[in-house]
Amino acid sequence: MRSVRARAALGATVVVALALVAAGLAVLLVLRANLTDQAGLQAEVAARETAGQLALDVPYDKLEMSDEEDHPVQVTDEDGRVVAVSKDLEAISGTGTGRVTPRPSTLPSASDDGDRHGGEDRDDEDDDVRDPGRGEVSTDEPDFTNGSATVDGDRADYRFASVEATNSAGLTLTVHAGAPLAAEQRAVASVRGAMLAGLPVVLLVVAGVTWLVTRRALRPVEGIRREMAAITASEDLSRRVPEPGSRDEVARLARTTNETLTALEASVDRQRRFVADASHELRSPIASLRTQLEVGAAHPELLDVTGAVADTVRLQALAADLLLLARLDAGEKPGRAGLDLGALVHEEVSQRTGDRIPVAVSVPEPGGFEVTGSRGQLARVIGNLLDNAERHARSSVAVSVRGEGRGVVVAVTDDGGGVPETERERIFERFVRLDDARTRDEGGAGLGLAIARDVAGRHGGRLTVAGTVGQGARFELWLPGAR
C-alpha cells in the first residue's frame, strides 16, 4: 500500500473499529449487568415473600408463591432436602440441587393439622393458637446464581436468589426463587445486532471521509512534487513551487522548498560566476607566460626570465587561492589546535622581507592570546590582510593584537585611500576590486579578502572593515578565545 491516502484511511478505519468494538463491549457488559441486577432484585423479592411465610409457619402446601411461571421457587431444609417447590416446576439447575419432588419434613402440612384436631377443619383455630413471632427471615445479602428451570414444559434461563428463613421450631429453610433472564437476553441481543449492523456503515463513512480529507490535504503536496519534477527536468532553478494559502505544515513545506531553491539558485550562480571569474583570471598569466616562452623559444636572447617567473608565481598563488576556496566550499572544517595569535602575527610579519612598506607590530606581551583553529588558515588570513594593506597604503602599515571580551582581535591598518561605506561589504565578495585604475598585475585577483572572511566565519569569528575615505582603512579580525 504505497498511497498515503490509503494508509491514512486504513489507519483511521482500524482505530475507529477498535474504539467502537471496545465501546460496544463496554455498553453490552454494562447493559447485561444492569438487567441481571434487576432480575436478581425481582428474584430476591419473590424469595423473601416465600421466606416470610415460612417464618410464620405457613405449611408447605399452603405457601402462596409469586407468579410460578415467572418466578420458580424451590425450598430446601438444612440437610438440602427439597421440601417445597412452585407449581408446575419440572426441572431446575443452579440452586445446589436439581430435585423438584418435595420430601416429608418435620413441619406439619395443612392436612396434618386437621388430623391432630379430630379431622375437623381447624384453620381458624390454628391461626389463633399459632405464635408467629418466633420465626424470622435472614437480613443478610442473598446469594445470587444463574441457572435454568423448566416450568410446564418451557425451559428458560433464570437469575436465582437464595434467602434463609427460620420457623418457630428453629428449623432453617432456604428459599431459591428465580427471575427470568429472557428480557436481558433479548435486550443484549437487540443492542448487539444493532451494533453489528451499524459498524460496517460507520467504518465505511470513516474510511470515505478520511480518504477525501487526506486527498484534499495532500493535493498541494502533489502540486509541489509535480513542480519539483519539472524543475529537475528543465534544470531551471528560477522556478518555484506553488505555496498554498493555508498556514499548515504543507504551506511551511512549500515555503521551505522555495527557500531551498532560492539558496540553491544563488549557490549555482556563485559557482558559475566563480568558474567564469577564475577562468578569466587564469587566462591572463597563462597567456603572458605562454607568450614569453614562445618568444624565448624563437629568440632565446629575448626571453624575459624574470617576467616568466613572476607570472608563474602569480599563477601559483591564484591556483592556491582557488584550491583553498574549493575546500572551504566543500565544507572543510578547521582544525582544533590551540595557538597564540600574537606569536602567529610576529611569525607572519618576520617572513615578509620584501614588503614595500615595513609593518609596525604592536603586541602587548607574548602569550595570553590563545585561540583554537587551523594554524595554516589563520596565517593565510593575516597574510591576506597584510597584502591588502601593502597594496593600498601610502607610507605606513600597522598590525596590533588585543583582547576583547571573550576573544582576541587582530587589527591591520593602513594610510591608504580607505573604503567607502557603501562598498564595505562588497569588497569581501570574490573577484571584487574597487580600484579600477590599478592594473591587474598590481591589483591581485580579488580573492584575498573573500578567503579571509570565509576562514574567519568558519572559526566562529568575524572580519570587519572601518575607517574614513582618504584616511586609510582598518580591518579587524575577531576570534573567540580558547576555552
Side-chain angles (χ1 to χ4, degrees):
M1 189 175 295
R2 298 180 179 180
S3 172
V4 175
R5 294 194 299 270
R7 290 199 297 267
L10 178 60
T13 304
V14 171
V15 171
V16 172
L18 293 177
L20 290 178
V21 169
L25 290 177
V27 169
L28 290 177
L29 291 176
V30 172
L31 178 62
R32 175 175 293 176
N34 289 337
L35 294 176
T36 302
D37 290 342
Q38 292 181 11
L41 180 61
Q42 296 175 10
E44 181 182 358
V45 171
R48 289 192 180 278
E49 289 179 357
T50 303
Q53 299 178 57
L54 293 174
L56 296 176
D57 292 339
V58 175
Y60 300 143
D61 53 358
K62 294 294 185 180
L63 291 174
E64 295 181 1
M65 301 180 185
S66 301
D67 189 353
E68 285 117 357
E69 184 176 354
D70 290 339
H71 300 287
V73 178
Q74 180 191 60
V75 181
T76 59
D77 59 13
E78 295 174 341
D79 298 328
R81 294 177 299 179
V82 177
V83 297
V85 296
S86 59
K87 183 180 178 181
D88 296 330
L89 180 62
E90 300 174 0
I92 193 171
S93 64
T95 60
T97 178
R99 296 181 180 275
V100 293
T101 303
R103 293 185 179 184
S105 176
T106 57
L107 187 63
S109 64
S111 60
D112 292 339
D113 290 344
D115 292 342
R116 286 202 307 268
H117 293 281
E120 299 177 0
D121 188 0
R122 306 285 295 179
D123 289 346
D124 295 338
E125 295 180 7
D126 290 341
D127 292 340
D128 292 337
V129 301
R130 185 181 295 118
D131 182 7
R134 297 177 57 185
E136 63 179 3
V137 178
S138 174
T139 58
D140 295 339
E141 184 73 18
D143 294 331
F144 293 99
T145 58
N146 289 340
S148 63
T150 301
V151 180
D152 196 17
D154 296 329
R155 183 184 181 281
D157 295 327
Y158 290 87
R159 178 74 166 172
F160 290 100
S162 301
V163 177
E164 292 184 350
T166 304
N167 60 16
S168 60
L171 178 64
T172 299
L173 302 170
T174 302
V175 180
H176 306 281
L181 294 175
E184 175 263 340
Q185 294 172 348
R186 287 194 299 270
V188 171
S190 299
V191 174
R192 183 173 58 245
M195 288 182 175
L196 292 177
L199 181 61
V201 177
V202 174
L203 294 181
L204 287 176
V205 172
V206 170
V209 171
T210 305
W211 177 274
L212 295 177
V213 171
T214 307
R215 179 182 180 182
R216 183 173 182 179
L218 294 179
R219 187 176 301 163
V221 177
E222 178 61 22
I224 294 173
R225 187 202 65 78
R226 286 197 300 266
E227 186 62 25
M228 289 296 296
I231 292 173
T232 302
S234 64
E235 298 184 357
D236 182 7
L237 296 179
S238 63
R239 301 174 61 172
R240 296 293 179 266
V241 300
E243 294 186 14
S246 59
R247 298 183 179 180
D248 54 10
E249 293 82 354
V250 177
R252 291 196 293 270
L253 172 63
R255 287 192 292 272
T256 302
T257 302
N258 284 334
E259 292 171 358
T260 303
L261 289 173
T262 300
L264 183 60
E265 182 183 15
S267 176
V268 171
D269 289 342
R270 285 196 302 269
Q271 290 289 345
R272 290 172 178 172
R273 290 197 304 269
F274 177 78
V275 171
D277 292 337
S279 62
H280 181 73
E281 293 295 335
L282 288 171
R283 187 183 301 117
S284 179
I286 291 176
S288 176
L289 183 60
R290 177 181 177 179
T291 299
Q292 296 180 44
L293 292 177
E294 288 177 348
V295 171
H299 306 282
E301 70 279 2
L302 299 179
L303 178 61
D304 184 6
V305 178
T306 303
V309 171
D311 286 339
T312 303
V313 171
R314 180 184 172 190
L315 185 61
Q316 182 181 14
L318 182 57
D321 287 343
L322 294 176
L323 179 60
L324 177 57
L325 285 174
R327 292 205 309 268
L328 294 176
D329 289 341
E332 179 180 304
K333 296 184 180 300
R336 304 299 300 170
L339 56 98
D340 187 278
L341 209 54
L344 184 61
V345 168
H346 276 292
E347 181 180 342
E348 284 300 308
V349 173
S350 65
Q351 296 177 1
R352 304 177 66 88
T353 57
D355 285 346
R356 178 174 61 90
I357 300 173
V359 179
V361 181
S362 175
V363 180
E365 60 183 27
F369 301 107
E370 291 288 333
V371 297
T372 302
S374 170
R375 184 181 186 87
Q377 292 185 9
L378 293 179
R380 185 68 172 274
V381 172
I382 296 172
N384 288 354
L385 294 178
L386 291 174
D387 289 341
N388 181 74
E390 288 283 345
R391 185 176 299 114
H392 296 88
R394 295 190 182 95
S395 60
S396 67
V397 175
V399 57
S400 63
V401 182
R402 71 178 190 276
E404 183 178 288
R406 296 185 178 181
V408 182
V409 175
V410 177
V412 178
T413 59
D414 63 72
D415 60 351
V419 182
E421 187 172 355
T422 57
E423 302 288 347
R424 288 180 181 175
E425 287 300 316
R426 183 168 172 266
I427 62 173
F428 293 106
E429 297 178 5
R430 298 176 182 181
F431 300 105
V432 171
R433 288 163 298 184
L434 300 183
D435 193 351
D436 296 331
R438 278 196 184 88
T439 64
R440 192 171 301 273
D441 291 341
E442 294 175 350
L447 294 176
L449 294 180
I451 292 175
R453 170 166 279 193
D454 201 345
V455 171
R458 294 179 186 275
H459 281 75
R462 59 180 179 270
L463 178 61
T464 58
V465 60
T468 305
V469 176
Q471 301 297 322
R474 178 182 182 86
F475 288 84
E476 289 191 349
L477 169 67
W478 182 90
L479 294 173
R483 296 180 180 177

